[in-house]
Amino acid sequence: MAFPATRMRRLRMNPLVRSRLEETDLAPRRLIAPLFVRPGRRERRPIPSMPGQDQLSVDLLIQEARSLSRLGLRSILLFGIPERKDAAGSGAYSPRGIVPQAVRALKNEIPELLVVTDLCFCEYTSHGHCGILKGGELDNDATLEIIAKTALAQARAGADIIAPSGMIDGMIRAIRQALDKGGFRDRVIMSYAAKYASAFYGPFRDAAESAPAFGDRRSYQMNPANAEEALREVDLDIQEGADIVMVKPALAYLDIIRRVKERTHVPVAAYNVSGEYSMVKAAAQNGWLDEARTVREILTALRRAGADLIITYHARDLLA
Ligand code: PBG
């Protein structure tokens, strides 16, 4: 039955009806806020390209996490900026490293908060690449060894979910084996399964001080032109033991989120990355966009595309 018996506007006409029929929700439990931790005490270093985001020392990180938790946020994703960088990225797997320190403090102080740890080396290596270099190239299998060590250090500190982001072949299998052998059979792995070599990471590399000293990441991160390859990456990570798979970035990859969601039966996460955040902030600061509405629309789109979880720097603003 079409018009006039059917009138689509009937269901939109007033907010009582309209809000009951909303298909997609943005419940706080869906959100994960990334946070940057650095050494020191009472240190807050604003990240110029990401207004509203700071590098925080552990004491201030706890304050921030507590305040987010009071707003209803349930999960955070932790990145570390180490005291020192070296060729092997040893700051990542040292049990006294900045991330294990921060995780121990978080789990002590705010046990109800889910703590996800990013597992990568670009913040920890002097050359800024995501693993061990040999002859100017990333050595895949040598990197697997430090990935396993880092996963164990993070698990021992109390991380609930380990999230490897380096796009190293075999990383999920290496982590699963290390965790199982180390007595952490129940720790979850969220794989950055389909991670593209994206210009949208620009502000993050300031934030995490992780820009590569030479070259780029195209020999490990994916070509933005490819979709079939993303599905293959996702399939392999699930076979290796990924519990959750992620698509990153999010906005320019809604088709990938949707296809991954339809193809798999594991929870899907989308990473609304730094550049996506900074674009909105910059436009809002110029008065060109209504920030709150824009953010809701973007995050709703990610949920509608199929994301069960959304990693977003907008989490605080959304909940506040
Ligand atoms: C580390 C990592 C990056 C991001 C998350 N983990 C940067 C990169 O791959 O260059 C990007 C996050 C963002 O842009 O918000 N490998």
Side-chain angles (χ1 to χ4, degrees), residues 120 122 165 195 201 204-205 217 221 248 273-274 313:
C120 195
C122 55
S165 64
K195 176 172 176 182
Y201 307 150
F204 176 93
R205 291 180 185 174
R217 304 206 201 291
Q221 300 179 351
K248 176 183 175 192
V273 300
S274 58
Y313 304 97

Side-chain angles (χ1 to χ4, degrees), residues 223-241:
N223 181 343
N226 295 354
E228 297 294 332
E229 188 186 350
L231 303 180
R232 215 169 149 215
E233 283 281 5
V234 165
D235 286 351
L236 289 169
D237 281 3
I238 294 172
Q239 280 169 32
E240 288 180 30

Side-chain angles (χ1 to χ4, degrees), residues 152 177-187:
L152 270 179
Q177 282 180 348
L179 291 178
D180 288 358
K181 245 174 69 195
F184 300 105
R185 235 173 240 124
D186 296 330
R187 297 305 166 87

Side-chain angles (χ1 to χ4, degrees), residues 119 121 140-152 162 164 168-182 184 189 236-237 239-242:
L119 195 172
F121 300 99
N140 195 87
D141 298 13
T143 301
L144 290 178
E145 289 171 30
I146 57 172
I147 286 178
K149 282 211 272 193
T150 306
L152 270 179
I162 313 279
I168 306 301
D169 288 324
M171 65 184 185
I172 303 304
R173 176 167 172 262
I175 294 171
R176 190 69 271 158
Q177 282 180 348
L179 291 178
D180 288 358
K181 245 174 69 195
F184 300 105
I189 303 175
L236 289 169
D237 281 3
Q239 280 169 32
E240 288 180 30

Side-chain angles (χ1 to χ4, degrees), residues 57-70:
S57 53
V58 173
D59 49 340
L60 297 191
L61 176 84
I62 298 293
Q63 278 182 19
E64 174 68 14
R66 192 171 277 130
S67 126
L68 286 167
S69 173
R70 287 205 185 103

Side-chain angles (χ1 to χ4, degrees), residues 48-52 277-291:
S49 55
M50 300 178 71
Y277 172 83
S278 300
M279 287 194 301
V280 172
K281 283 284 176 188
Q285 284 180 352
N286 276 298
W288 295 339
L289 281 177
D290 175 334
E291 180 175 344

